[in-house]
Amino acid sequence: MKRRERRSRRRDTGSARGVPAVIPIINKLPFTEVLDDNGVQAIHQASMRLLKETGILVIDYPPALETFRKHGAKVDGEMVWIDEDTLMHFVQQAPATFSQLARNPTNTLTIGGRNTIFAPVYGPPFVADLDRGRREATLQDFHNFAKLTQMTPYLHAAGGTLVEPQDIPVAERHLDMLLAHITLTDKAFMGSVTSADNARDSVTMAQILFGADAIRQTPAVLGLINASSPLRFDDRMLGALEVYARAGQAAIITPFIIAGAMSPVTMAATLAQQNAEALFGICYAQMLNPGTPVIYGSFLANIDMRSGAPCFGTPENTLALYAGAQLARYYNLPYRSGGNFTASRIPDAQAGYESASTLWPTVQAGTNYVLHAAGWLEGGLISGYEKFVLDSEMLGIMARYVQGISLEEDDFAWDAFAEVGPGNHFLGSAHTMRHYETAFYQHQVFSMDNYEKWEEEGKEDSYKKANAVWKQMLKNYQAPPIDPAVAEALNAFVEHRRAEIRAGKPRSDWPG
Amino acid sequence: MTEELDLTTLSVEELYEVMGDDLYDGYKEEVVEGVKEALSRNVAPYDVLTSGLVAGMEIVGNDFRDGVLFVPEVLMAANAMKAGMAVLRPLLAETGAPSVGKMVIGTVKGDIHDIGKNLVAMMMEGAGFDVINLGINQSAENFIAAVKEHQPTFVGMSALLTTTMPYMKVIIDALKEEGLRDQVTVLVGGAPLNEAFAEAIEADAYCRDAAVAVETAKKFAAIRRQRAAAS
Ligand code: B12
C-alpha cells in the first residue's frame, strides 16, 4: 500500500518523461526589513523632491515628452519634472499582482504578493564552460541554455536574452531568440527591448502563440526596461515600453545603478534616485495605458573604486536590496531584484560566496521576480554552463527554505518519540519512513562524500561535477510538444520578418 | 597636509619631484604654481610637460593599474594635470613643441554606456593627451565632424553592446570615405570586444582597459613622432 503510494508520487513529478515539473515558490516567511516606516517615508520624500526639483532627462524620444506634458508634468526641452500628486495618481493605477501567460498553462506565472519567480541570466555576450573556457556566444548556446532552463524545476520563467547569439546578424537576432524560447521551453518568456519594432515583433509572436484576445486579457510578454541612470531614460527603452504598454503587455522598470558612478556613494541617495527613476517609468506606462502591469525593478551594484568595475554581493548592495523591496511594497507593486550575482569569471569560491550573498537577501526580501537567478558570471558578461547548474542547486535550497517550519501535529513526531525513546536513533522509525524522501532538500550537485571516496573517484570538485550535470541535462532534454499549426505560423512570421529586415524594409503589419 | 615650501629654493629636478607629489595628491593650484616656477627659470615648456607633468602622471597611472589608487583620486590627479596643461598649452603652441597627442573619443550610436569610456578619457588626459569627449550615442557623422574640426591623432570608440559593436565598422568606413582614416589611429574598447574584432573592423588596436589604452596610445604616438622626425 505504502509502496504503491510512493510510486504514484514519483510519476506525478514527471521524472519519467525526463522533464521535471516546475516547483512554484510562495514565501511563507516574514520578510527581512532594514528600514522602519520613517525610513521608507524619508526615501519616498527624497524621491519626490528629486522628481520635482532635479527632474528626469528623456533623450531622443519626443513622444514621451508629449505624453508627460499632456498629463500634467512640467516639460522643458528634454527635461521632465513631476510633482507627487500627479505621479502617484498614475503609479496607483498599476496592479499589485498580475499573471503572465505560459505555453504550458501550469507554468503561467503569478507575479506579486508572496510569490517568487526565478528566471535565468539575461544579456551576456560570452559563454563559458569547463571544457572550452570563455568564448563568444552563439545561437547553439542560446538553445542549450533554453533547454537547461526547461529542465530546471526551480526556474519558473524562460527568461530573455539567455546569451547574445553573436553568430546571428544583430537586426534579426530577436526573432531567433523568441522562436527558441517558444519552441524549446513551455515557460513564460521575455520580449525584445532593443527597439520598438523588435518589441512589436515580440507581441506579434505572442499573438500567434496565444491569440490576440488572450494576450489582451492576460499579458504574455514581459519587457526589461532599464533606466539609463542617473535620472535619464532613452528612446530605445521608452519606445519599447510604449509598445508593450499599449499592447497591454508587462514590463519591468529597472533603474540599473552602479553606485558611486551612476548615483552618489551613499545608499540613502542611491535609493532615493532608484525610487524616483522606477516610479517615473511606471508612471509613464500608466499614462500610456492605465493598469499596465509593471514590476518595480532594482539592479543595484556598487563601483569598485579601484578599477571602475561593478561589485556584487557587497553589504551595501544587500541593504539596498532589502530597502528596495520595502519601497515596492509601500507602493503596492511587485518587486524585481537580485539574482546569483558575482564579478568572478569562473565558478570559484568568490563566485560561490558572492552569489550566495545576493541570493539569500533576494529571497528574504520577498523579491517577486528574480532575473539572473542562474548562470551569471563576470558581472553579466558570461553565461556559465556550470554556474547555471550550481546556481540551480541554490534555487532548490531556496524553494525549500521559503516554506518555513511546518507546525502540524505530525510534524511534532510524537509517534517517533514513542517508538524510539531516549538514546536510540530515528532512522528506522515509522515517522522517518513516512517523510524521509522529502524531509530534507536533496542535493543535485553538491557532494557529501568523505575525503577517501572523493579521492578514489577522481577528486571531482563542484565545478567538474556541474560540467557532467549540464551535459546529462541536455541529453535528457525533451522538447515540450507544440501544436504543429502554431509552430508553422510562428516559423512563417519569423521568415517573413527576416526577409523584410534583410531587404531593409520597415516592419509591415502581419495579418492576424 | 602640505607644509609650506618655498619653490624658489628648489632645483628644477626637485621642482619636478614636488610636482609629481602634488599631481599624485591632486593639488591643482600647487601643480600650477610648480609649472609657473619652472617656466620662470626658462625651462622649455616641452620639458616641463614631459619631465614634470607626464612623468608625474605616469606614477599615478601605474598605481591606478596596480590597484593602489582609487578612481576619484585619479580623477583629482588628472584635473590637476589639466590645470598645469592649461598653463603650458599656449606656450607649447608658440614654441612649436610636439604635442603628446589629441584624441576624439565617444560611445557609438545606439549605446549609452560611458563609465568605461570616461575612465579612458580621464586617464588619457592624465597622461597629457588632449581629449575631446563627444559623449554617448555618437553617429558616424558626429565622429567625422569632430575629426575634421579637431584634427586629432587618435579616435577612440567605445561600445558595450554586441548590437552596437558593428557600428564601429560604420564609423571606420566613413573615415575611409572621407579620406581621414590615415590621419588617425583608431583605438577601440568595451567589455564585449576583443582583438579579433578590432582586426576585423580594421581598427588599429583594441585596449582591454584604461591603463592599456594609455600605454597603447603612447606607443603609437612615439611611432608617429619617429616617423615625423625621419621624414
Ligand atoms: C553599467 C551598465 C549599464 C548602465 C550604463 C550606465 C553608464 N552611464 O555607462 C545602463 C543601466 C544604462 C545600462 C543599460 C543597458 N545595458 Co548595460 N551594462 C552595464 C554593466 C553592468 C557595466 C558596464 C560598466 O560600466 N563597466 C565598468 C567599466 C569601467 O568597464 P568597461 O565599460 O568595460 O570599460 C573598460 C574597458 O572595456 C575599456 N574601454 C571601454 N571603452 C573604451 C573605449 C576605448 C577607446 C578604449 C581604448 C578602451 C575602452 O576601458 C574601460 C576602463 O578600464 C555591463 C556589464 C559588464 N560587467 O560590463 C552591462 C552590459 C554591458 N549591459 C547590457 C545590456 C543588455 C544593457 C541594456 C540593453 C539593458 C536593457 N535591457 O535595458 C541597456 C542598453 C542601453 C543602451 N542603449 O546602451 C549587457 C550587454 C550585453 C550584450 N548583449 O551586448 C551587459 C553585458 C549586461 C548584461 N548581461 O545584460 N547598462
Side-chain angles (χ1 to χ4, degrees), chain A residues 150-234:
Chain A
Q150 177 70 4
M151 293 293 289
T152 303
Y154 306 111
L155 286 170
H156 310 97
T161 310
L162 301 169
V163 304
E164 274 283 337
Q166 297 207 49
D167 54 339
I168 307 292
V170 167
E172 51 192 80
R173 237 175 237 176
H174 65 291
L175 298 169
D176 297 287
M177 292 195 270
L178 286 161
L179 195 61
H181 271 310
I182 295 174
T183 54
L184 299 178
T185 84
D186 58 9
K187 302 182 182 184
F189 58 90
M190 297 174 76
S192 176
V193 292
T194 39
S195 74
D197 271 348
N198 293 357
R200 244 172 249 127
D201 289 343
S202 312
V203 175
T204 304
M205 289 177 77
Q207 282 169 341
I208 295 170
L209 180 61
F210 296 104
D213 288 341
I215 73 162
R216 266 260 153 231
Q217 288 283 315
T218 311
V221 186
L222 178 65
L224 180 62
I225 307 299
N226 281 10
S228 305
S229 310
L231 303 168
R232 181 179 63 183
F233 278 88
D234 74 346

Side-chain angles (χ1 to χ4, degrees), chain A residues 122-123 164 226 236-237 256 379-380, chain B residues 110 112-114 116 158 162 208 210:
Chain A
Y122 186 111
E164 274 283 337
N226 281 10
R236 294 213 298 171
M237 292 293 127
F256 182 136
Chain B
I112 58 170
H113 294 85
D114 67 356
S158 182
T162 52
R208 64 155 198 269

Side-chain angles (χ1 to χ4, degrees), chain A residues 68-389:
Chain A
F68 274 103
R69 200 195 50 74
K70 212 173 71 194
H71 289 93
K74 190 174 130 198
V75 177
D76 183 15
E78 293 196 311
M79 285 298 304
V80 179
W81 298 267
I82 190 162
D83 64 60
E84 177 166 4
D85 288 348
T86 314
L87 179 89
M88 293 313 296
H89 167 77
F90 288 103
V91 169
Q92 277 159 16
Q93 297 174 16
T97 308
F98 65 92
S99 297
Q100 187 194 356
L101 292 178
R103 183 151 80 76
N104 178 347
T106 56
N107 291 341
T108 287
L109 303 173
T110 303
I111 301 175
R114 302 195 73 87
N115 294 280
T116 295
I117 286 147
F118 289 134
V121 61
Y122 186 111
F126 300 109
V127 292
D129 64 43
L130 184 58
D131 310 309
R132 295 203 280 158
R134 182 172 105 153
R135 57 187 190 274
E136 284 176 16
T138 63
L139 186 59
Q140 181 60 52
D141 291 306
F142 192 103
H143 285 183
N144 287 344
F145 278 99
K147 290 175 181 175
L148 293 175
T149 300
Q150 177 70 4
M151 293 293 289
T152 303
Y154 306 111
L155 286 170
H156 310 97
T161 310
L162 301 169
V163 304
E164 274 283 337
Q166 297 207 49
D167 54 339
I168 307 292
V170 167
E172 51 192 80
R173 237 175 237 176
H174 65 291
L175 298 169
D176 297 287
M177 292 195 270
L178 286 161
L179 195 61
H181 271 310
I182 295 174
T183 54
L184 299 178
T185 84
D186 58 9
K187 302 182 182 184
F189 58 90
M190 297 174 76
S192 176
V193 292
T194 39
S195 74
D197 271 348
N198 293 357
R200 244 172 249 127
D201 289 343
S202 312
V203 175
T204 304
M205 289 177 77
Q207 282 169 341
I208 295 170
L209 180 61
F210 296 104
D213 288 341
I215 73 162
R216 266 260 153 231
Q217 288 283 315
T218 311
V221 186
L222 178 65
L224 180 62
I225 307 299
N226 281 10
S228 305
S229 310
L231 303 168
R232 181 179 63 183
F233 278 88
D234 74 346
D235 54 333
R236 294 213 298 171
M237 292 293 127
L238 291 181
L241 176 57
E242 179 162 358
V243 170
Y244 288 133
R246 291 205 192 281
Q249 302 307 293
I252 309 177
I253 313 290
T254 309
F256 182 136
I257 297 178
I258 299 185
M262 296 159 66
S263 74
V265 290
T266 43
M267 282 306 113
T270 299
L271 282 165
Q273 180 189 318
Q274 167 178 278
N275 193 44
E277 293 169 352
L279 294 180
F280 185 85
I282 288 165
C283 170
Y284 179 55
Q286 306 311 313
M287 285 175 170
L288 293 168
N289 184 5
T292 296
V294 287
I295 302 175
Y296 177 112
S298 158
F299 180 105
L300 215 165
N302 64 266
I303 197 165
D304 170 24
M305 280 291 178
R306 287 197 163 91
S307 70
C311 306
F312 298 95
T314 67
E316 298 80 14
N317 300 176
T318 304
L319 288 165
L321 195 159
Y322 286 124
Q326 288 184 255
L327 285 155
R329 276 197 290 277
Y330 174 70
Y331 302 114
N332 247 322
L333 294 165
Y335 180 58
R336 173 244 159 157
S337 191
N340 261 307
F341 292 138
T342 179
S344 187
R345 298 111 317 230
I346 55 163
D348 57 0
Q350 179 186 339
Y353 282 120
E354 285 178 345
S355 298
S357 302
T358 30
L359 189 64
W360 276 108
T362 299
V363 170
Q364 289 170 332
T367 309
N368 300 110
Y369 198 95
V370 185
L371 203 54
H372 312 302
W376 172 284
L377 279 174
E378 202 195 355
L381 290 169
I382 303 176
S383 291
Y385 279 88
E386 289 81 14
K387 179 68 164 37
F388 188 99
V389 168

